[in-house]
Amino acid sequence: MTNSSETRAQAFDIRLVIAFLIGAYGIVLTVMGIGFTTDEDIAKAAGININLWAGIGMLVFSAAFVLWAKLRPINVPQEEVERLQQQKKDH
């Protein structure tokens, strides 16, 4: 039963939610930077395709958060799991 509680705890890990949101914006910016940025837009940004670089940075940040969540998962102490199960049975 410990394995299922750990899985549920990892499903609601805020790091994965943040990674998903930042990653989604990163994908949008990367696509915009690759396909929809004009030379005029690049000239306005001092010669840098800012959408592309910001998107890539966000994707790297997102990947780092996923890696962090996978390497250091949330561990719920067994005593806490047992206490919550007992409370559930009592109510």
Side-chain angles (χ1 to χ4, degrees):
M1 213 183 283
T2 304
N3 191 16
S4 66
S5 66
E6 288 177 5
T7 303
R8 280 186 271 143
Q10 290 174 359
F12 296 106
D13 190 351
I14 191 69
R15 296 172 294 184
L16 295 176
V17 175
I18 292 169
F20 173 74
L21 292 173
I22 298 294
Y25 284 119
I27 290 169
V28 170
L29 282 176
T30 302
V31 169
M32 291 295 294
I34 291 171
F36 300 100
T37 302
T38 64
D39 291 335
E40 182 180 309
D41 293 334
I42 293 173
K44 286 181 188 177
I48 299 170
N49 189 342
I50 196 68
N51 284 339
L52 178 63
W53 286 108
I56 291 170
M58 291 173 113
L59 291 173
V60 169
F61 181 83
S62 178
F65 261 58
V66 170
L67 186 64
W68 178 27
K70 295 300 177 189
L71 292 177
R72 302 277 312 239
I74 294 175
N75 293 321
V76 180
Q78 184 61 31
E79 298 83 25
E80 185 68 18
V81 172
E82 291 170 0
R83 185 184 66 79
L84 291 173
Q85 287 174 346
Q86 186 61 36
Q87 280 182 346
K88 194 174 186 180
K89 287 180 185 178
D90 292 343
H91 291 278

